[in-house]
Amino acid sequence: MLEIRDLVKVYPGPVTALQGVNLEVPEGMFGLLGPNGAGKSTFMRIVAGLLEATSGQVLLDGEDILADPRKVWKRLGYLPQEFGFYPHMTGEKMLAHLLRLKGVQASGRTLRQLCGELLERVNLAHAAGRKVKGYSGGMRQRLGIAQAIAGNPRLIIVDEPTAGLDPEERQRFYHLLAELAQNRIVVLSTHIVEDVGVLCPRFAVIRQGKLVASSRPSEALAMVEGRVFEGSVDPSEVAELKRRRQVTQSILSEGRHRVRIFEPSGEAPLGFEEATPSLEDAYFVLMRHGGEVQTSRPDEGGETLAEPIHTMRKEG
Ligand code: ADP
């Protein structure tokens, strides 16, 4: 279990990037979702022991990471947003170099053997002897994962990993991450809602340095069930609609806009039909209302306001 308590980060400026974040992350894949500038990278870098927090605690299986980052570095793998590569090195040499920097012990094997095993694991064995400059974005990310999983860490931090990957590479990368999340904690930050829906049994939403929700995708969907409506409108009407309604998505199709609306009352707007909610809809609502949304329709009886969406329960 990873526990984050009252985490605050103030950059010089001052810019308050994290305003007292509390979160419990169990074993498995956990998504941290939020728009650009929300504080995801700041959060990830602090948890990875690479950036000092202003105050707060980060406990990995009860051990305070912030008090002594060196203690946990060995139990930690990190794939940053921008991964520095030496383009003229081969994949294998690059990996060996990174493992040396990280101080990974090959325990009974040669470093070369260990690199071979890791490259096999991330499906790059065939490209071990090729120069990194010829790797695709997805291959580079997988090489990054190979170094992150060296030493079999308990916690893996993956910051915005699928940005810039084509759909096929993304799928491959999803599969690899899902495999890695068995018996460990993998925290994945992303602004791509689909990443979370596909991969994460639990996720949290961060906005302006504050956690606005922590939930399961299914719970987030249940929260908006029966209150999402879809209809077609002329492009000229979209701006006005956005002013009047809570538009969760707007997709251009055959010259008209397919627009999805969140309507808290559950009453269909004229010309709109009830739609099966997507995680995108739920994310929009969480971002807008945080923990203050009604969890059932008013007509379903009584005082329904503001059941918090912090639905994550303590494990066992
Ligand atoms: P995200 O990863 O969600 O895009 P960041 O953690 O990068 O968000 O940034 C959160 C906020 O902190 C933003 O307002 C950003 O401009 C600010 N910020 C990030 N790094 C620094 C820094 N080194 N100095 C000052 N402000 C920073």
Side-chain angles (χ1 to χ4, degrees), residues 11-13 15-18 34-43 45 81 159-160 189 206:
Y11 288 111
V15 178
T16 305
L18 298 176
N36 285 331
K40 298 182 298 297
S41 280
T42 301
F43 177 90
R45 297 190 63 225
Q81 220 169 62
D159 198 359
E160 298 263 359
S189 89
I206 187 170

Side-chain angles (χ1 to χ4, degrees), residues 264-287:
S265 71
E267 262 173 53
L270 198 64
F272 280 69
E273 283 183 3
E274 189 173 327
T276 306
S278 70
L279 203 55
E280 289 271 356
D281 299 317
Y283 172 61
F284 171 89
V285 174
L286 289 172
M287 283 296 294

Side-chain angles (χ1 to χ4, degrees), residues 244-256:
R244 287 190 294 111
R245 298 278 191 177
Q246 301 184 37
V247 174
T248 62
Q249 289 178 63
S250 151
I251 301 156
L252 199 57
S253 161
E254 297 176 0
R256 285 176 73 78

Side-chain angles (χ1 to χ4, degrees), residues 127-143:
R130 273 164 53 190
K131 287 188 174 160
V132 174
K133 69 176 176 185
Y135 278 21
S136 69
M139 290 165 83
R140 285 178 190 215
Q141 285 301 63
R142 281 184 280 139
L143 188 60

Side-chain angles (χ1 to χ4, degrees), residues 157-197:
I157 307 279
V158 192
D159 198 359
E160 298 263 359
T162 61
L165 299 192
D166 66 35
E168 196 183 321
E169 285 179 328
R170 238 164 105 189
Q171 281 304 323
R172 249 173 197 238
F173 197 68
Y174 284 159
H175 282 284
L176 179 60
L177 283 180
E179 245 180 78
L180 293 180
Q182 318 233 327
N183 310 320
R184 7 173 117 84
I185 305 164
V186 178
V187 186
L188 164 85
S189 89
T190 181
H191 63 274
I192 302 172
V193 179
E194 190 199 337
D195 286 355
V196 167

